């Protein structure tokens, strides 16, 4: 089974969905560690409750971004992950860090990328007038939310939606999408080659149903 380190900053519901998937004996990956830039992140206690080792590296405890990342990289040298999953990790990672794990690092973003990268994504989706919204798992590259796409899920935009309501509907699909995307990568069914995602087979569209 592939070893996975999950990076979080908050509640960690996506991390839990990955841990739940990994609990199945035929799943090709296991969570070896959960790492947060916020010691108060709710997801850390949830990981501990499941017996998953946790690490917290708060940015303000380090003099620079480079030193903060160096501390995380040192922990990763012990953890020895095959794959890193960013799951609500709200910090931009440097190119030097990413190059160490190129093609082995995934992120989930709650929009149908390349639309609405970055912050306030749900409000921007609503403001656009689109009748579909969704989420994307992609390989991490230096540009924010820009890497090659591994898998996507869609939901409808409904009358009366607020950013909060839409975020909740998208999150439900995120919890199905991320385990599916991790499985594809762990089984070698998707690879990053020359900056593109190469898919072994088409994946059926994932939706709220
Ligand atoms: C998720 O919706 C995730 O897609 C989003 O933060 C939430 C984290 O929730 N990530 C981003 O916006 C990254 N730019 P969680 O902590 O419950 O998984």
């Amino acid at each position: 089974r592939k070893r996975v380190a999950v990076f979080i900053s908050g509640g960690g519901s996506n991390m839990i969905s990955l841990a739940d998937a990994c609990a199945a004996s035929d799943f090709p990956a296991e969570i070896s560690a959960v790492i947060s830039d916020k010691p108060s992140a709710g997801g850390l206690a949830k990981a501990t409750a499941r017996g998953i080792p946790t690490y917290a590296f708060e940015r303000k405890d380090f003099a620079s971004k480079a030193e903060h990342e160096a501390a995380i990289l040192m922990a990763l040298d012990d953890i020895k992950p095959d794959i890193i999953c960013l799951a609500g990790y709200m910090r931009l990672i440097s190119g030097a860090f990413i190059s160490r794990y190129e093609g082995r690092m995934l992120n989930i973003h709650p929009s149908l990328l390349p639309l609405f990268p970055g912050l306030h994504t749900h409000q921007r989706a609503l403001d656009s007038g689109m009748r579909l919204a969704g989420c994307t798992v992609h390989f991490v590259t230096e540009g924010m939310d820009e890497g090659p796409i591994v898998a996507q899920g869609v939901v409808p935009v409904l009358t009366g939606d607020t950013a909060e309501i839409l975020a909740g509907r998208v999150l439900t699909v995120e919890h199905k999408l991320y385990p599916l995307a991790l499985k594809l990568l762990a089984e070698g069914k998707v690879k990053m080659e020359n900056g593109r995602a190469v898919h072994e087979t088409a994946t059926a569209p994932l939706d709220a149903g």
Side-chain angles (χ1 to χ4, degrees):
R1 296 190 349 136
K2 300 288 188 199
R3 295 172 61 78
V4 179
V6 184
F7 284 30
I8 64 167
S9 297
S13 69
N14 276 293
M15 177 273 295
I16 292 295
S17 77
L18 293 173
D20 284 346
C22 289
S25 58
D26 61 346
F27 197 80
E30 63 191 25
I31 311 289
S32 301
V34 171
I35 295 177
S36 180
D37 62 328
K38 300 257 182 292
S40 59
L44 288 176
K46 292 178 199 159
T48 302
R50 284 164 187 254
I52 302 169
T54 64
Y55 301 75
F57 298 96
E58 200 166 15
R59 173 66 181 83
K60 72 171 173 55
D61 293 339
F62 299 88
S64 64
K65 179 183 177 84
E67 284 174 44
H68 182 236
E69 290 193 343
I72 297 173
L73 282 167
M74 233 157 72
L76 290 173
D77 284 343
D78 289 335
I79 297 162
K80 297 184 177 37
D82 301 298
I83 294 169
I84 293 175
C85 289
L86 307 183
Y89 187 69
M90 303 306 274
R91 200 167 278 284
L92 207 59
I93 297 177
S94 73
F97 189 121
I98 292 166
S99 66
R100 293 269 296 267
Y101 290 94
E102 197 168 62
R104 302 192 285 142
M105 200 180 213
L106 299 177
N107 179 48
I108 189 159
H109 180 75
S111 79
L112 290 173
L113 290 174
L115 296 172
F116 319 126
L119 297 176
H120 312 299
T121 187
H122 299 295
Q123 190 58 53
R124 286 155 62 213
L126 289 176
D127 292 347
S128 76
M130 277 187 71
R131 307 306 287 157
L132 290 174
C135 46
T136 303
V137 175
H138 62 93
F139 285 108
V140 176
T141 56
E142 230 182 307
M144 184 176 55
D145 302 326
E146 276 182 6
I149 292 171
V150 173
Q152 292 184 300
V154 290
V155 301
V157 173
L158 301 179
T159 305
D161 271 357
T162 61
E164 290 70 29
I165 293 170
L166 182 58
R169 190 176 307 123
V170 171
L171 192 62
T172 307
V173 178
E174 290 184 53
H175 295 159
K176 292 197 252 176
L177 185 72
Y178 216 165
L180 182 149
L182 174 58
K183 188 168 192 277
L184 289 175
L185 180 61
E187 290 178 339
K189 292 187 172 153
V190 63
K191 292 187 172 72
M192 193 170 117
E193 279 172 18
N194 304 317
R196 315 253 325 160
V198 179
H199 298 264
E200 187 180 290
T201 51
T203 41
L206 189 68
D207 59 35

